[in-house]
Amino acid sequence: MALDGMFLSFMCKEVNDVLAGSKVDKIHQPGKNELVFIMRTRGGMHKLYFSADANSPRFCIVENTPENPQTPPMLCMLFRKRLVGATLISVEQYGLDRIAFFNFDATNEIGDRVKLTLAVEIMAQHSNVILFDNDNNRIVDALRRVDAQTSSFRLVLPGAQYKLPPAQEKIDLRESEPSEACEAILKNENAKLSSAIIKTIQGISPLLSRELSYRACGDDKGVSELASEEKLNLFTELSTLKTKLQSGECEPSIVLNEAQKPMEFSFLPITQYGNALKVIKKENVFSLLEGFYSERDRFLRTRSKASELFKTLDNLIERTSRKLNNQHE
């Protein structure tokens, strides 16, 4: 999955640049794992989209959103009650993990100011959007509730304490020296370089680890096979990556397959495919995400509708066959 912790850091920066200080004007829930916040800024309205879908979890500022149901779900009504009129103070990332905290200054039922946080956890099938009260860390509600039968470690239920997922003991490149990170990677002598990078560096995807390996040695060699020059190249690439993360310098890029459909994306140009695949740059991370996922979501929605149609047809065929057999008898 290309939406790793490093890419998320650029997403958080972009939301802060555009929406910090904005107010929640409306909230919609197009699907059971989706939320749309209409944010009002001095420059106009923006749509902030959240998805906890296992196939495409994300948040992004979008132009187009799915159609809303005529009757809003109960969760949507609750979120409206707690967050409409609230001010988005900031968006913060938990280390380089795939968790973003949207911090709101809101008002409760009696008019007192309260701090509410919307935790967006981008973790494949464990993805979630959880609203909790900052004063006591109590969960208000979530797109996906998790009870004791599902997880004994971490409950996600109204009134339960919000807990962070278990931390990974990896290096945050923003806070470590590239030499330290490079040394830690090279200790994994029995692993491929890309695997050693993933094992060592926090918030990095398989795509990006392969890209670093390709840029360092032109291939995904075993760590023990690296020459001195290739180890120096690895150090240089880690230094460049750290600079990009600290400065927020971003070159959003999408990799297209032979059919010109989006296949991968990153915050820097992907060179590992050479001339075999086409790489195009986007204006910002959110135009990249909207373009990448709109095609995928369209396909998934079509497949879901097709699945329902096939199920209906199978039932009709079975019923007709049963009637036909009865008539023959």
Side-chain angles (χ1 to χ4, degrees):
M1 180 178 174
L3 208 169
D4 55 21
M6 291 187 179
F7 194 94
L8 188 68
S9 68
F10 293 98
M11 294 165 61
C12 291
K13 179 182 182 301
E14 200 157 306
V15 172
N16 276 315
D17 290 345
V18 177
L19 295 182
S22 63
K23 289 187 178 294
V24 181
D25 190 70
K26 297 176 183 177
I27 297 177
H28 303 298
Q29 189 179 357
K32 66 177 183 178
N33 292 325
E34 299 172 299
L35 286 168
V36 178
F37 285 25
I38 309 300
M39 308 297 294
R40 184 173 70 252
T41 68
R42 292 183 178 180
M45 297 293 194
H46 295 276
K47 297 174 183 177
L48 182 57
Y49 175 78
F50 301 94
S51 171
D53 185 84
N55 294 307
S56 54
R58 66 196 186 278
F59 64 86
C60 54
I61 299 171
V62 298
E63 293 292 332
N64 303 303
T65 56
E67 187 176 345
N68 296 314
Q70 290 185 348
T71 303
M74 292 297 295
L75 179 69
C76 181
M77 297 296 288
L78 175 62
F79 275 38
R80 286 177 180 177
K81 179 181 178 182
R82 300 301 297 269
L83 286 174
V84 167
T87 301
L88 178 62
I89 303 302
S90 63
V91 182
E92 299 173 350
Q93 186 179 12
Y94 175 55
L96 274 177
D97 213 335
R98 288 177 294 172
I99 304 175
F101 297 111
F102 287 71
N103 301 310
F104 291 93
D105 184 9
T107 306
N108 63 16
E109 296 87 344
I110 60 175
D112 293 334
R113 307 302 299 179
V114 293
K115 303 292 184 183
L116 297 174
T117 295
L118 196 69
V120 184
E121 302 177 354
I122 300 174
M123 299 175 179
Q125 69 268 26
H126 301 296
S127 298
N128 212 339
V129 177
I130 306 167
L131 180 65
F132 66 91
D133 192 322
N134 263 3
D135 293 334
N136 52 26
N137 269 20
R138 294 290 178 185
I139 294 173
V140 177
D141 214 334
L143 279 180
R144 289 179 166 182
R145 293 183 178 182
V146 179
D147 58 22
Q149 292 182 337
T150 307
S151 173
S152 58
F153 170 77
R154 189 169 181 254
L155 296 179
V156 181
L157 295 170
Q161 196 86 7
Y162 177 78
K163 291 182 180 180
L164 285 165
Q168 294 181 324
E169 299 299 325
K170 295 184 179 182
I171 293 174
D172 186 337
L173 194 57
R174 299 172 303 180
E175 300 175 358
S176 303
E177 291 299 323
S179 57
E180 176 190 346
C182 190
E183 183 179 345
I185 291 170
L186 295 176
K187 287 180 180 178
N188 298 276
E189 295 182 353
N190 297 323
K192 290 287 188 181
L193 181 54
S194 62
S195 299
I197 292 171
I198 288 179
K199 185 178 179 181
T200 307
I201 305 298
Q202 187 181 28
I204 197 164
S205 66
L207 172 69
L208 189 54
S209 66
R210 294 195 307 269
E211 181 65 21
L212 291 179
S213 178
Y214 178 81
R215 292 185 180 198
C217 56
D219 197 359
D220 192 12
K221 290 184 177 181
V223 173
S224 61
E225 301 171 6
L226 296 179
S228 298
E229 183 181 355
E230 292 167 338
K231 292 177 182 179
L232 181 60
N233 290 341
L234 176 61
F235 169 78
T236 302
E237 291 300 330
L238 290 172
S239 300
T240 303
L241 184 58
K242 177 178 179 176
T243 300
K244 286 183 178 294
L245 291 169
Q246 289 182 328
S247 66
E249 180 187 350
C250 184
E251 300 175 79
S253 303
I254 291 183
V255 179
L256 304 178
N257 63 16
E258 294 85 349
Q260 300 301 300
K261 290 186 177 181
M263 187 180 77
E264 304 270 17
F265 62 84
S266 182
F267 58 87
L268 47 76
I270 300 300
T271 62
Q272 61 190 270
Y273 299 114
N275 296 324
L277 299 177
K278 185 178 180 181
V279 178
I280 58 173
K281 292 184 179 181
K282 288 289 187 177
E283 182 181 354
N284 54 58
V285 295
F286 290 132
S287 63
L288 180 153
L289 288 174
E290 186 169 17
F292 183 87
Y293 282 112
S294 60
E295 179 66 20
R296 175 180 288 190
D297 287 351
R298 185 188 65 79
F299 172 76
L300 290 174
R301 290 176 197 278
T302 303
R303 189 171 67 177
S304 176
K305 290 180 179 179
S307 177
E308 293 174 4
L309 181 59
F310 278 120
K311 185 176 180 180
T312 301
L313 287 172
D314 287 339
N315 290 337
L316 288 171
I317 290 170
E318 183 181 353
R319 188 183 308 164
T320 305
S321 178
R322 195 165 53 245
K323 286 181 179 179
L324 186 59
N325 287 335
N326 289 337
Q327 288 177 4
H328 280 307
E329 291 177 3

